[in-house]
Amino acid sequence: MKQETFENRYQHDWQAFEALLEQLEKRQSPSVVQFATHYRRICHYLALAKARTYSPQLQAQLESMVLRGHQQLYNRKTQFLYNSLQFIVLKFPALLRENWRFFWLATALFYLPGLVIFLAIQWDPNLVYTIMNPHQVTEYESMYDPALRHLGRERQSDTDIFMFGFYIWNNVGIAFKTFAGGILFTIGSLFFLLFNGLFFGAFASHIVNVGYQSTFFPFVVGHGAFELTAITIAGAAGIKMGYSLLAPGNLSRLDALKQSTKVAVQLLLGAAFLLIIAAFVEAFWSSSTLLTPTIKYTIGGLFWLLVAGYLTQGGKGYAT
């Protein structure tokens, strides 16, 4: 193909890509898919121009567009990483403190019923069957039996990475249900917080009754700081979302829901970040039988202090 024909056939694509570049360089936000598609085409056109030894001017023009496109891709990746880090370190904890009423309500709904059922089952062990069925009771006993060589779910040491993925899937699923239930005028979030709190309190109390606390509490103390906190944050986000439907103020219910959802989703993302850490700790630390309970209690206590410090001090002075 002659250069003149090549230029006439593809000039429209080059002009379209130039327009996309100008938008990006002006800090506007064109379609990412559209930009990526055009960028691949320009790279292909440059390869063809070099292979067919078209004029140096044409090759220089295409090289300039490829270079500018590469810079925009690099800048977008760098900006994404910067924004993600800023959100985790500054914005998320500051946003949670702005919504402290929802957080403490969710925390109370999770821990207080759990504490009540824990004490009740200590008084009457058979009450555990009001929360858990016999199969669940047997399953949890087998997970924390001190006579066994493993802790938690049965698995081989070379499957830690698989269990890491499993814990992420499981924990995020629980948190998302707790969050999404809030759309039902807070009812779903309230239910899942109460249920999970009661369930945790019931099996923890039963584990104490059967004498397995020496394996259970060292196992949960580490990842619990991140996991349990994340679940209450997800519940707080769901309650905030549902409360906007109950008390929309001067807005319509739809507008109030849209406004609260923007904040609630950010809280959920922060909870997901904590759940990923929880899954990592549970898979690679909590299940280890090489560490003594003293070490696990010490590190677990530090994890709780770390989470408390992060949520109370992180992003102080940051305007959300």
Side-chain angles (χ1 to χ4, degrees):
M1 183 186 297
K2 293 183 178 180
Q3 178 174 325
E4 182 179 355
T5 305
F6 180 79
E7 291 184 20
N8 290 334
R9 179 173 297 182
Y10 299 119
Q11 187 71 36
H12 177 73
D13 285 346
W14 304 344
Q15 292 173 349
F17 187 64
E18 284 276 7
L20 289 173
L21 286 173
E22 289 178 3
Q23 290 182 48
L24 287 169
E25 289 166 354
K26 292 178 181 178
R27 302 296 183 182
Q28 298 175 2
S29 300
S31 168
V32 174
V33 175
Q34 186 182 22
F35 174 78
T37 301
H38 277 78
Y39 179 69
R40 286 194 295 268
R41 287 177 183 172
I42 298 300
C43 290
H44 177 64
Y45 297 149
L46 175 60
L48 288 177
K50 288 184 175 181
R52 295 169 181 173
T53 62
Y54 291 152
S55 69
Q57 292 81 3
L58 176 60
Q59 292 187 39
Q61 178 187 354
L62 293 172
E63 283 179 347
S64 175
M65 284 191 284
V66 169
L67 179 60
R68 289 168 64 194
H70 176 76
Q71 289 173 337
Q72 290 302 321
L73 284 175
Y74 178 79
N75 289 339
R76 289 177 70 87
K77 290 178 181 178
T78 304
Q79 188 64 34
F80 174 77
L81 292 174
Y82 173 78
N83 290 342
S84 299
L85 184 61
Q86 183 184 55
F87 172 78
I88 290 170
V89 175
L90 300 175
K91 187 172 184 179
F92 167 60
L95 195 63
L96 183 64
R97 288 196 300 274
E98 284 186 5
N99 294 273
W100 63 270
R101 291 179 179 85
F102 296 109
F103 172 72
W104 285 113
L105 174 59
T107 299
L109 289 169
F110 181 81
Y111 285 104
L112 291 181
L115 177 61
V116 170
I117 197 66
F118 181 93
L119 297 174
I121 292 173
Q122 289 297 295
W123 174 67
D124 182 0
N126 289 324
L127 287 175
V128 69
Y129 297 105
T130 63
I131 306 296
M132 305 171 67
N133 62 50
H135 173 73
Q136 289 175 318
V137 171
T138 302
E139 180 183 8
Y140 277 96
E141 286 181 1
S142 67
M143 288 170 59
Y144 301 105
D145 187 345
L148 300 179
R149 298 180 60 185
H150 66 271
L151 291 176
R153 298 177 185 272
E154 186 171 5
R155 39 83 176 275
Q156 301 299 318
S157 60
D158 59 354
T159 62
D160 283 346
I161 294 179
F162 170 80
M163 294 306 295
F164 173 53
F166 170 81
Y167 289 136
I168 290 178
W169 177 263
N170 182 67
N171 296 344
V172 169
I174 293 173
F176 184 77
K177 285 189 293 185
T178 306
F179 163 74
I183 195 68
L184 300 174
F185 298 91
T186 75
I187 294 173
S189 295
L190 299 178
F191 168 78
F192 283 115
L193 285 167
L194 286 167
F195 175 78
N196 287 319
L198 287 169
F199 193 89
F200 181 77
F203 83 74
S205 187
H206 179 73
I207 289 296
V208 172
N209 282 337
V210 296
Y212 292 174
Q213 63 267 29
S214 62
T215 52
F216 172 70
F217 288 112
F219 177 81
V220 301
V221 68
H223 64 270
F226 304 99
E227 181 178 336
L228 301 182
T229 303
I231 290 174
T232 59
I233 292 173
I239 294 172
K240 179 178 179 63
M241 187 169 58
Y243 184 74
S244 67
L245 295 174
L246 294 172
N250 296 325
L251 301 174
S252 68
R253 282 190 166 82
L254 181 59
D255 288 339
L257 179 62
K258 289 179 179 178
Q259 192 175 83
S260 66
T261 300
K262 290 179 182 179
V263 176
V265 168
Q266 293 181 73
L267 293 175
L268 182 65
L269 290 174
F273 164 68
L274 293 176
L275 288 172
I276 292 173
I277 298 176
F280 181 85
V281 174
E282 186 171 2
F284 296 99
W285 169 271
S286 300
S287 60
S288 175
T289 56
L290 301 177
L291 303 168
T292 65
T294 300
I295 293 176
K296 287 188 174 182
Y297 281 130
T298 301
I299 300 301
L302 292 175
F303 282 157
W304 280 99
L305 290 174
L306 176 64
V307 171
Y310 166 58
L311 297 180
T312 58
Q313 303 300 316
K316 273 200 168 181
Y318 180 81
T320 58

